[in-house]
Amino acid sequence: MKTVPGLRLERLVARLAACPPEFLAPPRVGAEGVVAVDVVVGDLLVELGYAEDSWPMTEPFEPGTVFDPDRARHFRLVLFAAWLLRDPELPREAGTPQSVARFLGEPLRSLAAVVEPARLLDEPERREEFVRHALAALGALVEGETQEEAENRLETLNSASKQHLSAVLRAKEEAVLRRADAVREAMVRKDAEEGAAKGMRE
């Protein structure tokens, strides 16, 4: 990874927080949404100076024919990344079309599974995590930070996201168990009431 003179993490995090409306609009997935994510990705690759033949890399970002909420979450993060990677201070020579397209693919898909898009923009640590993922994909380091420091910080932020997801899943499981207990208790009461009513009739 290469240090980019003058590149500040705080400024990139602030840029992500200021994501403009055109990158916040719902991505097109199936028949829903408005933003053609594959076109945005294609424009990004060209803007970064990659050859026109990088357009085939946009195929994974086509809308498809069926709405998928997980895909929509992923595509929202792709739009956030497209805004961030347009930052004029990011090195245009860093990375390759393959590395950028790869970052927009599985890493963001995995991140979308543990971080709500709205949380990503609202919470400073989640924004920092997102920015660091992007910098890692470009092979770029902010000024004053070593590669080891950058990797350790990203691992810490990733762990926080995973812990949050685990807590959310536990809460959902507990809610399901509570509902199941309530249903069982209601059925027992109903059986007891019906039994009592039947005894009175007899």
Side-chain angles (χ1 to χ4, degrees), residues 86-148:
R86 281 178 163 84
D87 186 276
E89 293 189 19
L90 286 173
R92 291 297 183 260
E93 71 280 3
T96 64
Q98 290 82 6
S99 67
V100 171
R102 190 161 48 245
F103 162 62
L104 298 176
E106 187 53 41
L108 289 192
R109 187 179 297 110
S110 298
L111 187 60
V114 298
V115 178
E116 285 285 348
R119 280 188 67 226
L120 191 147
L121 293 184
D122 291 342
E123 299 181 10
E125 283 199 344
R126 300 288 69 77
R127 292 199 302 272
E128 180 186 346
E129 180 181 7
F130 191 89
V131 168
R132 288 186 177 278
H133 277 295
L135 290 172
L138 291 175
L141 291 170
V142 294
E143 190 172 66
E145 191 170 73
T146 66
Q147 181 171 340
E148 182 178 4

